[in-house]
C-alpha cells in the first residue's frame, strides 16, 4: 500500500520509517535515532525519536505568526548550524526536524526510498 516507501510523511512531527530504514540507521547511525514499533494498515513501521537537539532555527531571520494567546509559531523557518549531525531537531522549536547532506547521502547509498525537500538558510 505504501509503494515500498522507507519514510512516511505524516503531520505529527515524528518521522515514520520502514523496517529496512530502521535497520540501516541502527547500523550506520545508532546514537541518532531510537525506534518504536507501530502498525499502519497491517504493515510494520517505526516511529523515530530523534536524539540530537541543536539550535537550528535562525530566530532573527525566521518569520513567525502570533496566535490569539500570544504564543508564536513558525511561519517560514530559516535554518542555521555549524554542528556535525545526520538528523536533528531544534532545541526550542522541537517540531522542526532537519537532516544533513550526510543523511541524504547515506539514504542514497543504501538505496532507501525517501524523498527530500530543500530548506532555506545556512543548512541548505
Amino acid at each position: 500500500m505504501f509503494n515500498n516507501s522507507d519514510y512516511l510523511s505524516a503531520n505529527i512531527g515524528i518521522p515514520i520509517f520502514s523496517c529496512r530504514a530502521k535497520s540501516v540507521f541502527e547500523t550506520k547511525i545508532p546514537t541518532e535515532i531510537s525506534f518504536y514499533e507501530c502498525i499502519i494498515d497491517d504493515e510494520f513501521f517505526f516511529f523515530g525519536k530523534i536524539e540530537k537537539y541543536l539550535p537550528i532555527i535562525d530566530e532573527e531571520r525566521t518569520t513567525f505568526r502570533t496566535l490569539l494567546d500570544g504564543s508564536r509559531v513558525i511561519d517560514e523557518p530559516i535554518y542555521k548550524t555549524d554542528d556535525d549531525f545526520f538528523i536533528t531537531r531544534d532545541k526550542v522549536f522541537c517540531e522542526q526536524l532537519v537532516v544533513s547532506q550526510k543523511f541524504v547521502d547515506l539514504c542514497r547509498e543504501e538505496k532507501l526510498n525517501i524523498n527530500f525537500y530543500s530548506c532555506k538558510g545556512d543548512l541548505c
Side-chain angles (χ1 to χ4, degrees), residues 73-124:
V73 294
I74 293 176
D75 191 36
E76 186 173 349
I78 305 294
Y79 300 99
K80 65 169 179 81
T81 188
D82 293 329
D83 294 295
D84 187 35
F85 66 93
F86 280 88
I87 185 168
T88 189
R89 291 193 171 282
D90 187 74
K91 276 186 166 184
V92 176
F93 303 97
C94 299
E95 74 282 0
Q96 296 296 312
L97 168 72
V98 174
V99 300
S100 67
Q101 187 60 49
K102 291 189 319 183
F103 186 87
V104 173
D105 293 344
L106 172 63
C107 292
R108 288 184 178 146
E109 288 167 12
E110 297 293 331
K111 297 182 178 20
L112 294 177
N113 186 11
I114 299 176
N115 294 323
F116 295 97
Y117 301 97
S118 294
C119 61
K120 292 184 180 179
D122 299 337
L123 291 176
C124 307

Side-chain angles (χ1 to χ4, degrees), residues 40-98:
I40 303 171
D41 290 338
D42 295 325
E43 292 186 45
F44 286 94
F45 286 91
F46 294 85
F47 291 119
K49 180 182 184 299
I50 308 310
E51 299 295 344
K52 188 171 269 195
Y53 288 77
L54 297 170
I56 59 171
I57 296 295
D58 184 336
E59 290 194 54
E60 292 179 14
R61 295 175 23 205
T62 292
T63 58
F64 295 88
R65 285 184 290 134
T66 303
L67 301 179
L68 291 175
D69 67 0
S71 61
R72 298 184 316 161
V73 294
I74 293 176
D75 191 36
E76 186 173 349
I78 305 294
Y79 300 99
K80 65 169 179 81
T81 188
D82 293 329
D83 294 295
D84 187 35
F85 66 93
F86 280 88
I87 185 168
T88 189
R89 291 193 171 282
D90 187 74
K91 276 186 166 184
V92 176
F93 303 97
C94 299
E95 74 282 0
Q96 296 296 312
L97 168 72
V98 174

Side-chain angles (χ1 to χ4, degrees), residues 5-7 16-26 35 37-38 43-46 112:
S5 181
D6 290 306
Y7 169 79
I16 304 170
F17 296 107
S18 70
C19 295
R20 194 165 76 105
K22 173 188 177 277
S23 177
V24 168
F25 300 147
E26 282 182 326
F35 294 96
E37 184 177 276
C38 63
E43 292 186 45
F44 286 94
F45 286 91
F46 294 85
L112 294 177

Side-chain angles (χ1 to χ4, degrees), residues 1-20:
M1 172 174 181
F2 296 104
N3 298 326
N4 297 320
S5 181
D6 290 306
Y7 169 79
L8 300 182
S9 180
N11 194 15
I12 60 172
I14 301 169
I16 304 170
F17 296 107
S18 70
C19 295
R20 194 165 76 105

